[in-house]
Amino acid sequence: MKTAKFSIGQVVRHRLFPFRGIIFDVDPQFANSDEWYEAIPAEARPRKDQPFYHLLAENSETEYIAYVSEQNLLEDQSGEPVRHPQIGEMFDKKPDGRYEPKRRSRH
């Protein structure tokens, strides 16, 4: 199994489509439904044997949750903040622009 290239809190962008986001979870390999996978055109369908990332994603029109293969992600180097409304629930923004996962209290 491949080690994830990107980490939780990292801002990434899609290699092919105009969206970016913050990683909030990582699956070591594909862990979504077969229906979701089969809906991707065969010529663009990513391999299942690689990390897949859950993103708080945004494009020019809206914010949403995305599930993206590692082969389709690049590090976002724009330095622009991400505007997704759920960021504050999951992350603290550091003065240097990084997003750090919030510490959760345990009972």
Side-chain angles (χ1 to χ4, degrees):
M1 201 174 315
K2 187 176 176 188
T3 302
K5 176 180 177 181
F6 303 107
S7 59
I8 291 175
Q10 188 170 1
V11 180
V12 292
R13 64 182 176 86
H14 197 280
R15 182 182 302 273
L16 304 173
F17 300 109
F19 72 87
R20 60 196 283 268
I22 302 172
I23 296 169
F24 70 89
D25 195 16
V26 182
D27 293 334
Q29 61 185 19
F30 181 79
N32 206 333
S33 71
D34 288 333
E35 290 175 347
W36 182 92
Y37 189 74
E38 295 298 325
I40 300 168
E43 64 277 1
R45 203 173 289 153
R47 299 178 331 275
K48 288 185 174 182
D49 65 342
Q50 63 180 313
F52 276 72
Y53 299 84
H54 300 261
L55 308 179
L56 295 176
E58 67 181 28
N59 61 27
S60 62
E61 300 171 3
T62 191
E63 298 85 31
Y64 53 98
I65 302 292
Y67 190 65
V68 186
S69 64
E70 185 168 275
Q71 76 187 56
N72 284 323
L73 289 178
L74 300 168
E75 183 176 356
D76 181 90
Q77 298 181 346
S78 70
E80 295 292 319
V82 179
R83 68 176 188 273
H84 198 284
Q86 290 178 278
I87 291 171
E89 296 171 27
M90 296 184 198
F91 296 97
D92 290 321
K93 188 167 183 191
K94 297 299 176 186
D96 65 3
R98 291 181 303 114
Y99 293 91
E100 184 174 284
K102 286 188 181 264
R103 301 233 183 256
R104 302 205 188 261
S105 61
R106 295 188 178 169
H107 296 77

